[in-house]
Amino acid sequence: MKVEVSINYNKMDERKGGKHTMIGQSCKTQEIKPKILYYGTPVILLNTLNEDGTVNISPISSSFALGDHIILGLGLGGKAIENLERHPECVINIPNPDLWENVERLAPFTGKNPVPDYKKEHGFLFQKDKYLTSGLSPIESISVKPSRIQECPLQIEAKVQHIRTPEYSSIFAIVETQALHVHAHEDIILSENYVDPRKWSPLIYNFRHYFSLGKELGKTFRAETL
């Protein structure tokens, strides 16, 4: 059923020097039923340990941070969740926009052999050597067995604290991880322990298209850098 709602945003903003600025206009909305809800989140290349000690790389886009914990959403039946259930360590590699083609080279492949039927239906193929496929380079981690990806400006070694399959869905798992070591390329570091937000941009997955961040709009009152 088509539903239309008219929303009026005709309010005035007096925060900027007492000036009255329009912050919105009247607009119409309509209910839609998108097949996906990838509304714009950073891409992660998740490194996990295979049975034989090699590393699997999984591109994912469902994550958020709470303090030093990073929560991941992983599809069940894939290699990443299988590896984490057996060996609860990983590296959360965060690529920048320059690496989007490397990420996309990984997209049609899975580390599962044989390929699950539901992945076959979407055209996935088996590939074990994800480093070779992506054109990316491994670098040894400090505390965890999976290697890091050298080209990613941010690399976070992490341990898995908890894996939960929600009772309302049997297709994905919620994986709670805790950061152990954060590695950053030197050119994005500010004042030793800060990441310079003007030099760092994650690769954004936006309704199955790749984007970079736009211009800076402002900062929150809790920002500790200029």
Side-chain angles (χ1 to χ4, degrees):
M1 181 179 69
K2 183 176 179 180
V3 178
E4 289 197 1
V5 181
S6 180
I7 302 176
N8 191 347
Y9 291 107
N10 290 319
K11 297 179 181 179
M12 311 301 286
D13 186 356
E14 300 182 9
R15 289 172 295 180
K16 296 184 178 180
K19 295 182 179 179
H20 289 67
T21 305
M22 298 295 288
I23 61 173
Q25 297 179 345
S26 180
C27 68
K28 290 185 177 181
T29 64
Q30 130 178 3
E31 183 182 9
I32 64 174
K33 295 182 178 180
K35 294 171 64 176
I36 55 171
L37 289 174
Y38 302 129
Y39 46 77
T41 52
V43 172
I44 283 176
L45 294 179
L46 182 67
N47 283 19
T48 58
L49 196 70
N50 292 323
E51 302 92 329
D52 60 0
T54 59
V55 170
N56 184 65
I57 306 175
S58 302
I60 67 171
S61 61
S62 299
S63 72
F64 62 92
L66 293 169
D68 64 349
H69 288 74
I70 299 175
I71 316 303
L72 309 174
L74 296 179
L76 294 176
K79 193 63 178 177
I81 189 66
E82 176 188 300
N83 283 349
L84 290 178
E85 287 174 339
R86 186 190 64 258
H87 185 86
E89 294 181 340
C90 63
V91 178
I92 298 165
N93 302 280
I94 310 171
N96 62 15
D98 294 339
L99 297 175
W100 81 265
E101 290 180 301
N102 303 84
V103 172
E104 182 58 21
R105 288 174 198 161
L106 291 167
F109 295 104
T110 176
K112 288 280 283 187
N113 188 26
V115 178
D117 289 340
Y118 77 94
K119 284 183 175 283
K120 282 183 181 179
E121 293 173 1
H122 289 90
F124 282 83
L125 300 171
F126 170 69
Q127 174 57 263
K128 183 174 182 179
D129 193 341
K130 299 289 189 70
Y131 276 115
L132 178 64
T133 299
S134 64
L136 298 171
S137 311
I139 183 172
E140 187 176 356
S141 298
I142 295 175
S143 296
V144 302
K145 289 187 177 180
S147 56
R148 299 178 277 137
I149 297 177
Q150 185 171 352
E151 290 83 357
C152 289
L154 287 175
Q155 310 145 16
I156 304 172
E157 297 182 39
K159 63 179 179 179
V160 175
Q161 298 284 25
H162 185 62
I163 299 176
R164 182 173 71 89
T165 302
E167 61 279 1
Y168 52 82
S169 177
S170 60
I171 63 172
F172 66 87
I174 299 169
V175 181
E176 301 171 17
T177 73
Q178 182 175 14
L180 301 175
H181 304 283
V182 179
H183 308 268
H185 284 188
E186 290 184 350
D187 59 355
I188 65 169
I189 296 175
L190 178 67
S191 301
E192 188 176 350
N193 285 316
Y194 292 94
V195 172
D196 190 337
R198 293 178 180 85
K199 294 181 179 179
W200 160 242
S201 171
L203 174 63
I204 300 297
Y205 194 57
N206 183 10
F207 286 98
R208 289 186 174 148
H209 291 252
Y210 297 106
F211 283 82
S212 61
L213 295 183
K215 66 177 182 179
E216 181 181 4
L217 303 176
K219 62 181 180 180
T220 178
F221 77 100
R222 297 188 64 188
E224 297 180 0
T225 57
L226 295 177

